[in-house]
Amino acid sequence: MILVTGGAGYIGSHTVILLIEAGYDIVIFDNFSNASLTAHQRVEQIVGETIPLVKGDIRNKEDLEKLFTDYDINSVIHFAGLKAVGESVEQPLKYYDNNVVGTLTLCEVMQAHGCKSIIFSSSATVYGDPETTPITEDFPLSATNPYGRSKLMIEEILRDLYVSDPTWQVILLRYFNPVGAHISGDIGEDPSGIPNNLMPFIAQTAVGKRESLSVFGDDYDTIDGTGVRDYIHVMDLAEGHVKALNILHTIGKVMTINLGTGKGYSVLEMIKAFEDASGKKVPYHIAPRRAGDIATCYADAQYAKNVLGWSATRGIEVMCIDTWRWQSQNPNGYKEN
Ligand code: NAD
Ligand code: UFG
């Protein structure tokens, strides 16, 4: 059985659908600090079956002990974590506790139960401000904020664990910028409060919940001066996890894999694509650069293709159409409309 920590969250809920469709038995473990039970119920509707869900915290050893005793878990896909960069600067201890201590506790309990196979949600943020693009997995690593440092620390902890005991099987997946939603429009990204990330902010502006999008800087050295990122459809990302799970038990080393499309789009290109997909105007204004932002970030996606036989198939148009379907059908996210 596969344990999916954080399986009620954005990327987790989409991945759960594909895991069930691929025939995997799973159990979800989530503390609902950034998730809604409605999302889980909709996933169950989409797949047409009940999915075991345990409410608990990865920092709580007793919760995890009970989980590993009640379920026969042989692999873990570990999504659970906090992810807001700005909040991590203001509350570093909360981030190190939740992300790093939580992962340590998870690994301890896994080890005690003889479960040594893990796929970890890392991030392109571990590349810091890369000297060139596209970014390959062997680029130098650095972090500019506590969130990023928590990801780097966890990567290193998992590498150390493997060195100490090569029967561990570890895949570190470095996601670029996940966007989009399931094709049903029933589940999607539902940030609490004002969205930090570009795509949810664009979508909420298009639907009329926000007046105007701030474009953070138009003087970067990019195609039109605005920041360039590698946006990847969450269903492509989810497929990458299924592929990674398929090889997890055959790898003889810690595998580190970029999950991106290999293409970068600017903020203005994203606005235009979203307007085309939705038929709505997205009012915007140019604002100062956001602290900590880099000009350009996109993946070299070749390694994922080589080792997983995976590459993203959904382009920017589908990303925008699917985001719009979710946003327009659920203007208030999972809250009652
Ligand atoms: P999300 O917040 O939607 O999902 C995370 C889930 O983990 C939530 O359901 C939350 O309730 C749960 N959780 C958090 N702390 C927990 C704890 N201590 N115990 C149990 N459950 C806990 O975020 P997401 O976008 O789905 O991201 C999933 C993972 O991918 C995270 O680790 C994130 O850092 C990483 N990641 C996300 C992005 C992105 O832009 N979305 C990019 C790179 C990496
Ligand atoms: N942007 C705006 N206006 C906004 C929000 C974003 O102009 O309101 C711009 C940013 O300046 C950047 C681009 O849109 O150029 C993308 O910004 P996001 O906040 O959507 O994404 P980031 O690339 O900054 O960060 C994301 C995740 C991080 C993760 C990183 C790398 O939020 O957690 O990708 O994976 F670390």
Side-chain angles (χ1 to χ4, degrees):
M1 182 169 243
I2 314 296
L3 166 63
V4 185
T5 74
Y10 172 47
I11 304 169
S13 59
H14 289 80
T15 304
V16 161
I17 293 175
L18 294 190
L19 289 171
I20 301 274
E21 287 175 0
Y24 284 105
D25 256 351
I26 70 160
V27 54
I28 294 170
F29 185 78
D30 201 300
N31 69 356
F32 286 87
S33 57
N34 193 35
S36 151
L37 197 55
T38 309
H40 177 69
Q41 289 162 347
R42 292 191 182 175
V43 168
E44 290 187 326
Q45 275 167 19
I46 289 168
V47 298
E49 59 184 80
T50 305
I51 304 166
L53 167 74
V54 175
K55 192 170 177 194
D57 196 299
I58 52 167
R59 290 165 297 178
N60 185 322
K61 215 165 190 165
E62 282 165 23
D63 285 356
L64 288 173
E65 279 291 343
K66 182 162 177 3
L67 179 75
F68 275 80
T69 305
D70 289 350
Y71 295 88
D72 186 15
I73 297 165
N74 57 40
S75 314
V76 178
I77 304 184
H78 178 31
F79 291 109
L82 298 175
K83 61 168 182 176
V85 173
E87 188 187 53
S88 82
V89 175
E90 279 151 29
Q91 302 181 61
L93 299 182
K94 178 176 165 182
Y95 273 67
Y96 291 126
D97 182 42
N98 196 84
N99 294 2
V100 181
V101 176
T103 304
L104 280 179
T105 311
L106 173 66
C107 289
E108 280 166 12
V109 176
M110 285 175 69
Q111 193 161 40
H113 287 260
C115 169
K116 298 183 184 174
S117 304
I118 185 166
I119 295 174
F120 172 62
S121 301
S122 190
S123 165
T125 193
V126 299
Y127 296 116
D129 191 353
E131 278 197 6
T132 56
T133 43
I135 300 169
T136 51
E137 287 82 355
D138 57 0
F139 268 35
L141 305 178
S142 68
T144 52
N145 57 69
Y147 166 70
R149 250 183 298 281
S150 78
K151 291 292 175 192
L152 262 186
M153 285 177 187
I154 296 166
E155 283 201 1
E156 282 170 3
I157 289 165
L158 292 172
R159 282 191 209 101
D160 286 344
L161 201 49
Y162 175 79
V163 170
S164 75
D165 174 0
T167 65
W168 273 85
Q169 292 158 328
V170 179
I171 299 184
L172 310 172
L173 296 179
R174 293 183 180 149
Y175 314 154
F176 282 69
N177 290 52
V179 298
H182 186 260
I183 193 165
S184 63
D186 291 337
I187 61 166
E189 187 172 13
D190 182 21
S192 60
I194 301 170
N196 297 311
N197 296 118
L198 179 66
M199 192 61 141
F201 204 109
I202 289 180
Q204 292 192 7
T205 308
V207 87
K209 281 191 72 175
R210 315 260 161 222
E211 259 177 38
S212 173
L213 167 78
S214 302
V215 174
F216 296 142
D218 67 349
D219 56 354
Y220 288 105
D221 183 15
T222 61
I223 175 177
D224 57 22
T226 66
V228 166
R229 296 290 183 276
D230 185 339
Y231 298 94
I232 174 166
H233 196 295
V234 66
M235 293 306 292
D236 278 327
L237 205 57
E239 280 168 11
H241 287 75
V242 178
K243 297 278 189 180
L245 191 57
N246 292 344
I247 66 159
L248 182 60
H249 293 277
T250 66
I251 58 172
K253 58 175 179 176
V254 174
M255 269 196 171
T256 306
I257 308 172
N258 285 341
L259 292 185
T261 66
K263 284 196 202 70
Y265 290 101
S266 74
V267 176
L268 295 182
E269 285 173 328
M270 292 304 285
I271 295 172
K272 169 84 171 60
F274 203 89
E275 288 182 336
D276 290 347
S278 64
K280 300 280 176 189
K281 276 314 272 182
V282 178
Y284 69 87
H285 58 278
I286 305 300
R289 289 183 178 193
R290 182 170 66 179
D293 272 358
I294 58 176
T296 303
C297 175
Y298 59 91
D300 183 319
Q302 191 57 45
Y303 187 60
K305 196 169 183 181
N306 294 350
V307 295
L308 299 179
W310 169 93
S311 45
T313 59
R314 297 162 179 87
I316 184 177
E317 195 183 325
V318 176
M319 297 182 209
C320 292
I321 288 172
D322 289 346
T323 302
W324 177 240
R325 190 181 300 107
W326 151 251
Q327 183 69 59
S328 53
Q329 289 177 15
N330 304 273
N332 297 315
Y334 292 114
K335 285 163 233 65
E336 290 295 315
N337 294 320

